[in-house]
Amino acid sequence: MPVNFIGYIGFNNRSEIHAGVRGRSLDRDYVNEALRVQEEGGFDRVLIPFGSNSPESQIVAAYGAARTSRLGFLVAHRPGFTQPTLAARQFATLDQLSQGRVAVHIITGGADEEMARDGDVGTTKAERYARSDEYLGILRQEWSATKPFDHDGAFYHIRQATSDVRPDNLPVFFGGTSAEAIDVAGRHADVYATWGETLDATREIISRVRASAARHGRTIGFSLSLRPVIADTEGAAWKRADEIVEQVRANREKAGLPTSGHRPPNDGSRRLLDTASALRRDARLWTGVAQLTGAAGNSTGLVGTPEQVADALVEYYKLGIGNFLIRGFDPLADAEVYGRDLIPLVRERVAALDAQRPAVAG
């Protein structure tokens, strides 16, 4: 199967090594340069994140699509703040204008404080997943219905919905490790997105999600998010990883943020924090930043030379991971290195592996 690489447009050229809390102020020069570097570097898509204090992801995607010719966009989107019929038309319009270069990453939302900033007050996590389930059903119906439809559910009531714009190629990504999340992913997602864990943990979550999809008569793809730290030698790569840990620690302490004793509100972060109980796992998996930040988001990495990290990514590919979301702690510089030194190696190894498989099967 093909392997896809997803980069990142984080709105400015900063990360956890620059401040205790990642700011998402909009730097247009950075966005333009990040688009150029990642399109030229062979990335297939870039993730545009969503947050209660972030620039609006769909608008950034539309801007990026107008300034590129090949690069795709994975647009993070949170159900509950836009009517699903309107969101369906918005994304279908993006799909049409970008000529099929848009995918949507549904972010249900696990932190009550984050949700409340946009007015979603008093909902439980279970209710939010139920809302996402209903939302995605309506979204897909708006994309496919050949005649007007009504809907009466727990969260949405719609009369005679119809759309004159439909997507040609609009994959739905979905994440979350709770039972509710995996059920919704199995019912609706084209790609299940998870964070970088051990090979054993990744194998386990893939099995659970595949079983969920099978219950609904579906198959599903997988995406894994990692923060590669690479250098010319293994020693230099681990030295840089140690330096990143100390930079993150210093920034969090300066900002008065905890570096231990974390109690994440969502299942995915708790699961990742369990993985981070040991600094290094498997051959290359590195959890130093996850330990310090309470596994807040994509915070685990692979450390080594480009060849070593490429080999580690191929081991995940063998489990069924077809999409790798990779972003660095020095966003622009790391993206350039990934495009030059890492992505071509992984593509070569995957092509060689796929070429051998029919002979092995026979």
Side-chain angles (χ1 to χ4, degrees):
M1 63 181 180
V3 61
N4 299 306
F5 286 93
I6 304 170
Y8 191 72
I9 300 285
F11 307 121
N12 58 66
N13 196 30
R14 296 173 66 81
S15 76
E16 302 93 326
I17 67 173
H18 302 105
V21 176
R22 285 177 290 171
R24 286 180 170 168
S25 59
L26 184 60
D27 181 340
R28 189 176 63 181
D29 290 340
Y30 157 79
V31 171
N32 287 330
E33 188 66 3
L35 290 167
R36 182 192 66 78
V37 165
Q38 291 174 102
E39 181 161 59
E40 292 179 0
F43 286 82
D44 298 281
R45 298 187 188 276
V46 289
L47 171 66
I48 303 175
F50 179 98
S52 61
N53 61 346
S54 299
E56 210 291 311
S57 56
Q58 291 183 60
I59 294 174
V60 176
Y63 176 83
R67 297 188 65 85
T68 56
S69 59
R70 185 197 58 80
L71 189 65
F73 299 87
L74 178 57
V75 185
H77 176 73
R78 183 169 290 166
F81 304 103
T82 305
Q83 288 294 323
T85 49
L86 174 57
R89 297 195 303 277
Q90 289 172 333
F91 281 109
T93 303
L94 275 174
D95 169 85
Q96 292 292 308
L97 291 176
S98 69
Q99 297 182 301
R101 289 189 285 144
V102 172
V104 58
H105 188 4
I106 298 295
I107 309 293
T108 296
D112 293 344
E113 300 84 0
E114 166 78 8
M115 307 299 288
R117 295 189 193 109
D118 273 333
D120 191 8
V121 178
T123 55
T124 66
K125 184 177 74 170
E127 288 170 337
R128 291 195 288 265
Y129 276 113
R131 183 174 63 190
S132 291
D133 186 15
E134 186 176 339
Y135 189 95
L136 282 165
I138 297 168
L139 200 74
R140 287 199 177 278
Q141 192 169 5
E142 177 90 350
W143 287 340
S144 62
T146 58
K147 59 184 179 180
F149 65 92
D150 294 345
H151 174 90
D152 283 295
F155 300 92
Y156 299 103
H157 301 275
I158 297 166
R159 296 291 177 268
Q160 295 296 286
T162 185
S163 176
D164 289 333
V165 59
R166 302 171 188 276
D168 293 323
N169 174 42
L170 215 165
V172 173
F173 285 58
F174 194 90
T177 58
S178 66
E180 300 99 326
I182 290 175
D183 183 59
V184 175
R187 187 177 293 110
H188 296 291
D190 298 302
V191 178
Y192 175 81
T194 188
W195 292 328
E197 300 182 292
T198 64
L199 290 167
D200 284 344
T202 302
R203 184 182 295 108
E204 183 266 342
I205 196 68
I206 286 174
S207 177
R208 288 171 59 197
V209 174
R210 280 179 172 161
S212 176
R215 287 194 293 273
H216 299 286
R218 307 178 66 248
T219 58
I220 194 167
F222 294 90
S223 176
L224 189 74
S225 298
L226 288 158
R227 312 282 290 272
V229 178
I230 60 178
D232 292 339
T233 67
E234 183 177 7
W238 282 110
K239 181 175 183 292
R240 185 179 176 221
D242 291 341
E243 291 169 348
I244 289 169
V245 166
E246 293 312 310
Q247 287 173 306
V248 174
R249 186 193 309 278
N251 287 330
R252 290 185 68 85
E253 289 175 348
K254 183 177 180 180
L257 298 171
T259 57
S260 61
H262 300 285
R263 298 178 182 273
N266 58 306
D267 288 343
S269 290
R270 288 194 293 270
R271 180 182 168 108
L272 199 61
L273 198 56
D274 288 341
T275 296
S277 59
L279 181 61
R280 302 183 187 184
R281 304 292 293 269
D282 293 339
R284 302 275 149 226
L285 187 64
W286 165 70
T287 64
V289 171
Q291 286 182 343
L292 291 175
T293 62
N298 178 11
S299 51
T300 55
L302 295 173
V303 179
T305 65
E307 293 78 11
Q308 290 170 328
V309 172
D311 288 339
L313 289 172
V314 170
E315 292 305 308
Y316 287 104
Y317 174 81
K318 291 176 182 177
L319 298 181
I321 301 296
N323 301 268
F324 292 104
L325 196 163
I326 54 174
R327 64 184 179 98
F329 291 92
D330 191 354
L332 276 177
D334 286 342
E336 190 166 6
V337 170
Y338 298 158
R340 184 187 67 226
D341 298 337
L342 181 61
I343 290 175
L345 284 177
V346 178
R347 293 198 193 280
E348 289 174 8
R349 282 159 166 74
V350 164
L353 180 66
D354 287 348
Q356 294 172 1
R357 283 178 169 172
V360 171

